[in-house]
C-alpha cells in the first residue's frame, strides 16, 4: 500500500531482489476503495522508474507490479 500525500507527481523505481533496476515491469495503481478498477497503468523505464500523477492527497492507493521472467520454457508440439 502506498499513501500519497500531495498532488505533486510521485516518482518511484522498481528494484529486483539484487537491488538492480527492473525495466519493462507493468506497474498498476488502484484506489484502495475500488481495487477492481485501475486508476493508471504503465511500464517502468530502463532505470526501473515510473511516475503517476497527479494523485488525490490523503487518498490511499494500492500499487501492483508485474514482471515476466526471462526464464521461459518453450512447449514443444506433442508434449
Amino acid at each position: 500500500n502506498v499513501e500519497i500525500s500531495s498532488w505533486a507527481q510521485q516518482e518511484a523505481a522498481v528494484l529486483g531482489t539484487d537491488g538492480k533496476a527492473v525495466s519493462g515491469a507493468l506497474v498498476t495503481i488502484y484506489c484502495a476503495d475500488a481495487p477492481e478498477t485501475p486508476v493508471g497503468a504503465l511500464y517502468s523505464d530502463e532505470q526501473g522508474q515510473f511516475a503517476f500523477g497527479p494523485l488525490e492527497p490523503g487518498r490511499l492507493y494500492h500499487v501492483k507490479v508485474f514482471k515476466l521472467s526471462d526464464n521461459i520454457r518453450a512447449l514443444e508440439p506433442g508434449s
Side-chain angles (χ1 to χ4, degrees):
N1 297 340
V2 175
E3 187 170 345
I4 307 299
S5 60
S6 71
W7 278 96
Q9 182 169 310
Q10 302 295 313
E11 295 183 15
V14 179
L15 302 177
T17 56
D18 58 2
K20 294 182 181 178
V22 177
S23 65
L26 174 61
V27 183
T28 58
I29 186 168
Y30 303 80
C31 290
D33 58 356
E36 321 75 44
T37 308
V39 174
L42 47 81
Y43 289 91
S44 59
D45 67 13
E46 295 80 23
Q47 290 80 39
Q49 296 178 337
F50 64 93
F52 290 109
L55 299 172
E56 190 175 329
R59 187 152 199 184
L60 185 63
Y61 293 92
H62 292 208
V63 175
K64 296 181 182 180
V65 178
F66 304 91
K67 176 66 178 176
L68 290 178
S69 171
D70 291 335
N71 300 325
I72 298 172
R73 183 179 68 89
L75 297 177
E76 297 178 21
S79 326

